[in-house]
Amino acid sequence: MPNNFASGKYAIAECDRCGFRYKLSELKNLVIKTKNVSIKVCPTCWEPDQPQLSLGLYPVNDPQAVREPRPDTSYNSSGTSGLQLTPGDVGYPSEGSRTFQWGWYPVGGAAANDEGLTPNDLTSVGEVGTVMFNVAAWSATTSYAQNDSVSYSGGFYLAVKANINHVPTDITYWVAN
């Protein structure tokens, strides 16, 4: 039975994306969201169907949580780090170690307006230390930008303007920090 179309063995066609000429047999159909869109592209422009475009096409049952879970009160503390609490200690959770604390300002005590609503066994212990940082000594040959810091004659200075070879005591360019 004869075919209505020529074989196209030597046919030339343009890529619908880049416009370069190729043999018709080299061009591939583009598929978008599992549909053949009759766009012919060259091997360079061709890309496989993006799997993320198929989201929602197929039903997926992927439950993420248990409906109405119950707290596990069988654990009081876990691990062997030495930081575990024993009954009677400050911060010991009365319903088990897997009970979560929630509410506004949960560490160190609940806010006054939700005192009866939020049980709070969390306590904060610690202290604020000293922050140390190094500041380079001022140099006459260095170019300084605004907000650069330097040390000079036992003091610290912050540049208010970009400058070069202006001593930090010059208040036009520096401010004592």
Side-chain angles (χ1 to χ4, degrees), residues 14 17 32 43 51 61 86 93 108 110 118 171:
E14 286 185 4
R17 193 172 270 175
I32 299 174
N61 185 11
T86 57
T118 307
I171 61 172

Side-chain angles (χ1 to χ4, degrees), residues 51 96 98 105 110 123 141 143 156:
R98 295 185 183 188
Y105 312 113
T123 56
T141 59
S143 176
F156 297 100

Side-chain angles (χ1 to χ4, degrees), residues 14 23 39 53 58 61 72 74 93 95 127 151 159 161 169:
E14 286 185 4
K23 285 185 178 180
I39 297 175
L53 295 176
Y58 307 104
N61 185 11
D72 183 359
S74 62
E95 292 100 24
E127 63 184 52
S151 63
K161 291 182 185 178
T169 54

Side-chain angles (χ1 to χ4, degrees), residues 57-168:
L57 291 178
Y58 307 104
V60 175
N61 185 11
D62 188 15
Q64 298 296 315
V66 176
R67 183 185 304 270
E68 298 177 8
R70 298 291 179 251
D72 183 359
T73 60
S74 62
Y75 294 94
N76 287 323
S77 60
S78 61
T80 57
S81 66
L83 300 175
Q84 288 72 36
L85 300 173
T86 57
D89 286 350
V90 174
Y92 181 79
S94 60
E95 292 100 24
S97 63
R98 295 185 183 188
T99 302
F100 292 100
Q101 299 290 306
W102 62 275
W104 301 107
Y105 312 113
V107 176
N113 60 347
D114 65 356
E115 185 69 35
L117 300 174
T118 307
N120 197 334
D121 300 316
L122 301 174
T123 56
S124 174
V125 178
E127 63 184 52
V128 177
T130 304
V131 176
M132 299 292 292
F133 60 94
N134 292 328
V135 177
W138 177 78
S139 170
T141 59
T142 302
S143 176
Y144 294 102
Q146 186 176 357
N147 294 328
D148 281 349
S149 300
V150 295
S151 63
Y152 180 76
S153 296
F156 297 100
Y157 297 87
L158 183 69
V160 292
K161 291 182 185 178
N163 68 79
I164 188 168
N165 198 19
H166 288 278
V167 292

